[in-house]
Amino acid sequence: MSLFEFLSQYWPLLMSGTGVTVAQFLLGAILTVGLALVFGLMKMSSNRAIKGSAVVYIEIFRGTSLLVQLYWIFFVLPLFGVTLEKFTAGWVAIGLNAGAYGAELVRGGIMAVPKGQWEAATAINMSAARRMWRIILPQALVNMLPAWGNLMVEILKGTALVSLISVADLMFQAKQINASTYLSAQIFGTALVIYYILARFLLTPFMRWLEGFMARKLGRA
Amino acid sequence: MFDWLFTDDWFPKFDWRWDYAWEILPRLIEATGNTLIAAAAGYLIALVLGLAFALAQRSQNRILTFFVREFVEFIRSTPLLLQIFFIFYVGPQFGITLSPWVSGMIAIGLHYSCYLSEVYRGGIDSVPKGQWEAATALNMTTAQTYKRLIIPQAIPPAIPGLGNYLVGIFKDTPMLSVIGVAELIHTANAIGSETWRYLEAYTIVGVIFLALSLPAAGLIRAFEGFVRRKLGM
C-alpha cells in the first residue's frame, strides 16, 4: 500500500484523534493557567498556611510523573468516591501537573518585576489587589511568556499520555491503526509529523505572536 | 460526584491495607532498581549524544548545522511516548528487532540528548571570548581547545540544567512500561491486575518518586559546588 493510499484510508481516524488531542490540550492549558496563577500567588503569600499548601501542591505534582498522577486520578480516585470520566481525568491530570510547573513560572515572573513598581503603586494609594492586577501581573506576564511557550509545548506532548487510559486521541488512534495494519513506520511517522506541525507551526508561532502583542501593549516593543 | 462527602461511611472507602502494602513492597522496590537503571542508562546516552549535537551545531558546515538544528527541534516538539512506540515497532518492519530495554534506552537517550544539547550550548556560550583567543594564541588545535579549555569551563554552569534533566528522565521512565520494561508503573499495573487493588500500588509508586526526586535539587547544587572546587573556579 502506498503512503498516499494509506493516508487516504486512515485520514478520518487520524483527524478525529487530532481533534481529541487539541481538545485535551486546550482544556489542560486553561486549567494550567488557572492553577499556575492561583498557586503561584499563594506561594508568595506571607501567610504560612497558604504558602505551605501551595508548596505541597507544587512539590507533589513536580516530584512525581505525569503518568503516575494520571493513573492515580483515574484508578485510585474512584475509591474515594470521585469518579472522573476518562476524557476528564486526562486533561485534569495534565492541568494539575503542568500547573505546578506554571506556578513556579508565575512566581519567577512576579519576582522579576522591579521593586520600584511595587513602591510606586503603593505611593499612589492602590489597594494590594489593584496593584497586583493593574501593575505587577501585566509586567510579570511579559517576563514569563517565553518560558510559557516551552511549557505549552510540554502540555501538548503530555496529552499523548491520555491514550494510556484509552482516550481516543492521536496517539491512541495511531496505536490502534498500528495494531490492525502493522504499518508502523507509516502510521507512527505520520503521527509524529502531525504533532510536530501542531507544536512548531501553530503553537510556537502563536506564543511568539502573544509575546510581541503583550510587549506592544505595555509599550516595550 | 461529591455526594460521598455527605454520607457518613466515606472514611472506610480509604480501605488502605498495611499488610497488603507490606506484601507488595519488595516487588516495588525491585522495580525501583529497574527504574533507576533505566534512568541512568538513558542519561548516559543523552549526555554523550547531547554533547555531540551541541558541537555539531557549532560546526562551520552550514548543512550539518541546519540538519542537526531541525532534528533537535523535531524531537523536542514531539511526544516521547510516540517516539518510544516508533523505535520499538518500526525496527521489526525492516528486520531489526530491538528488545524493550534497548529501544526504550535509545528513545529516552535520543529525546533527552536534544534537551541536553541546549544546556551544553548555553554552557559553551558562557565561556568568555578571551579563552578562545588565548587558545588560538597558544596555537592549540580546535580539538585541544574544546577538550582542555572550553568543555571543562562549560560544564559547571551547565550542571543545574544537566541535573534537572536527570530528574526529568527519572520521571519519564514510567512511559517505558508501554513496551514492557518492568519498571515501577509496569510492576504496579501487574500488581493491580492480579488483585484488583490499585490504591496501595499506585500510591507507593507516587511516594517512591517523591522520595527520590525531592532531595535531588539539593544534591545537584552540592555536586555543582564540588565540581567548581575541583576545577579551581
Side-chain angles (χ1 to χ4, degrees):
Chain A
M1 202 190 308
S2 75
L3 184 64
F4 181 75
E5 281 171 316
F6 174 78
L7 282 181
S8 56
Q9 186 176 344
Y10 290 106
W11 196 244
L13 274 180
L14 284 171
M15 280 302 103
S16 90
T18 306
V20 174
T21 290
V22 170
Q24 286 280 335
F25 165 76
L26 289 176
L27 291 166
I30 291 168
L31 182 60
T32 299
V33 172
L35 288 173
L37 213 51
V38 169
F39 283 99
L41 290 173
M42 277 169 69
K43 200 180 170 184
M44 300 189 75
S45 161
S46 49
N47 181 321
R48 289 177 89 183
I50 293 176
K51 189 180 174 174
S53 50
V55 168
V56 168
Y57 162 72
I58 291 171
E59 294 301 328
I60 284 182
F61 281 92
R62 290 201 336 162
T64 58
S65 311
L66 173 56
L67 189 55
V68 177
Q69 292 154 21
L70 184 65
Y71 280 174
W72 208 87
I73 288 173
F74 189 62
F75 290 109
V76 177
L77 224 46
L79 303 177
F80 294 80
V82 185
T83 306
L84 296 179
E85 203 210 334
K86 59 193 179 186
F87 184 86
T88 316
W91 63 264
V92 166
I94 292 166
L96 283 168
N97 179 270
Y101 289 90
E104 289 292 353
L105 298 185
V106 169
R107 198 176 67 100
I110 289 175
M111 302 248 280
V113 175
K115 217 174 158 222
Q117 299 287 324
W118 294 79
E119 288 159 358
T122 313
I124 57 171
N125 210 15
M126 277 187 166
S127 70
R130 207 173 154 78
R131 179 181 63 194
M132 183 53 80
W133 188 247
R134 298 273 307 265
I135 308 296
I136 307 301
L137 269 186
Q139 299 183 63
L141 187 63
V142 173
N143 292 337
M144 65 188 167
L145 265 179
W148 272 96
N150 287 333
L151 186 60
M152 285 296 163
V153 174
E154 294 300 321
I155 295 174
L156 177 66
K157 286 159 59 183
T159 61
L161 290 184
V162 302
S163 65
L164 299 177
I165 55 169
S166 309
V167 177
D169 73 330
L170 178 56
M171 176 78 237
F172 182 83
Q173 299 289 9
K175 259 194 322 184
Q176 296 290 98
I177 296 170
N178 179 57
S180 59
T181 63
Y182 290 107
L183 296 169
S184 309
Q186 288 88 329
I187 182 57
F188 288 136
T190 309
L192 279 170
V193 170
I194 295 176
Y195 275 111
Y196 181 62
I197 291 170
L198 290 178
R200 186 85 193 278
F201 300 110
L202 291 172
L203 186 53
T204 306
F206 172 74
M207 292 306 288
R208 288 275 149 73
W209 172 83
L210 196 62
E211 272 172 46
F213 178 78
M214 289 311 297
R216 272 196 306 283
K217 276 262 173 190
L218 288 186
R220 282 201 193 164
Chain B
M1 184 168 123
F2 290 109
D3 41 352
W4 57 279
L5 269 177
F6 307 105
T7 58
D8 53 10
D9 65 342
W10 64 276
F11 187 77
K13 280 188 187 163
F14 275 107
D15 194 25
W16 174 276
R17 277 176 40 195
W18 280 106
D19 58 329
Y20 178 71
W22 280 116
E23 194 187 311
I24 62 173
L25 194 59
R27 283 173 75 182
L28 289 173
I29 286 174
E30 199 193 320
T32 309
N34 281 345
T35 291
L36 291 175
I37 292 169
Y43 192 57
L44 279 181
I45 297 172
L47 278 178
V48 176
L49 217 52
L51 185 59
F53 286 155
L55 293 179
Q57 285 185 52
R58 298 182 67 88
S59 117
Q60 301 289 324
N61 186 336
R62 287 265 185 88
I63 301 166
L64 178 71
T65 310
F66 173 79
F67 276 108
V68 173
R69 177 85 242 134
E70 284 306 307
F71 181 74
V72 167
E73 277 304 319
F74 184 83
I75 297 284
R76 274 161 47 104
S77 18
T78 49
L80 174 58
L81 186 65
L82 185 51
Q83 292 163 7
I84 292 172
F85 274 110
F86 188 89
I87 290 174
F88 186 63
Y89 285 103
V90 168
Q93 219 179 345
F94 299 99
I96 312 159
T97 309
L98 299 172
S99 76
W101 269 93
V102 172
S103 33
M105 294 302 88
I106 295 175
I108 284 197
L110 194 63
H111 190 80
Y112 274 92
S113 67
C114 294
Y115 285 91
L116 290 190
S117 78
E118 297 290 303
V119 179
Y120 281 123
R121 207 163 62 120
I124 292 173
D125 286 344
S126 75
V127 176
K129 219 178 157 214
Q131 300 287 321
W132 292 91
E133 288 157 2
T136 314
L138 288 172
N139 211 14
M140 283 173 136
T141 63
T142 313
Q144 275 179 325
T145 309
Y146 271 111
K147 200 173 145 206
R148 306 201 27 201
L149 215 53
I150 305 303
I151 292 177
Q153 293 186 79
I155 296 296
I159 285 177
L162 294 176
N164 282 342
Y165 285 120
L166 173 59
V167 182
I169 286 187
F170 170 62
K171 285 186 289 189
D172 272 353
T173 52
M175 289 189 209
L176 297 174
S177 64
V178 297
I179 53 169
V181 174
E183 48 63 67
L184 271 168
I185 274 286
H186 191 267
T187 309
N189 284 342
I191 291 171
S193 61
E194 282 161 24
T195 58
W196 288 102
R197 290 188 65 84
Y198 288 97
L199 170 64
E200 288 86 356
Y202 284 143
T203 308
I204 294 173
V205 168
V207 171
I208 290 175
F209 269 103
L210 264 186
L212 288 172
S213 62
L214 280 186
L219 289 177
I220 293 164
R221 219 170 301 127
F223 184 67
E224 186 192 355
F226 172 77
V227 173
R228 278 186 190 276
R229 274 196 304 281
K230 274 272 167 193
L231 292 171
M233 288 171 85

